[in-house]
Amino acid sequence: KLIERNYRIRGGEIDIVAKDGEYLVFVEVKTRYSHEYGLPVEAMTPWKIKYLLKTAKFYLQKINWGDGPYRLDFISIDFANSSVHPEIELIKNITL
C-alpha cells in the first residue's frame, strides 16, 4: 500500500514509502534509458544507502514508528534494451 511519494528532508529523499504487511517499506527507484552511466543497480552505492537509511530513520521518528519493522527496497527499471518493455527488478531489504 502506497503511503507517500518523494519524501524529502535536507540531505535526503525517499522515492516511495509503502506498507507491506506489518513492514514499513522505503523504496528507492532508479530508471535508466541507456547504460552510458551504468546499470540502475550500480547507482545504489554504500553512500546512497547510508543517506537513504538516514532519511528513513528520520521518517520513522516523525511518525513515531517505534520498534516496528521496516526495510529498504530497491526497484531497477532499465529501458536500455527496449523502450516498450523495460527490465524491472525488485531487490528487497538492501543493506550496507
Side-chain angles (χ1 to χ4, degrees), residues 1 6 14-15 17-18 27 30-31 33 44 47 51 59 80 87 91 96:
K1 178 181 175 186
N6 301 319
I14 295 177
D15 295 326
V17 179
V27 184
K30 287 292 179 196
T31 303
Y33 293 92
M44 282 307 282
W47 179 87
Y51 279 93
Y59 186 90
E87 295 175 29
I91 302 170
L96 288 172

Side-chain angles (χ1 to χ4, degrees), residues 67-85:
D67 291 331
Y70 67 94
R71 70 174 192 257
L72 181 60
D73 291 355
F74 176 74
I75 296 176
S76 164
I77 304 172
D78 191 344
F79 284 97
N81 295 325
S82 172
S83 62
V84 179
H85 302 289

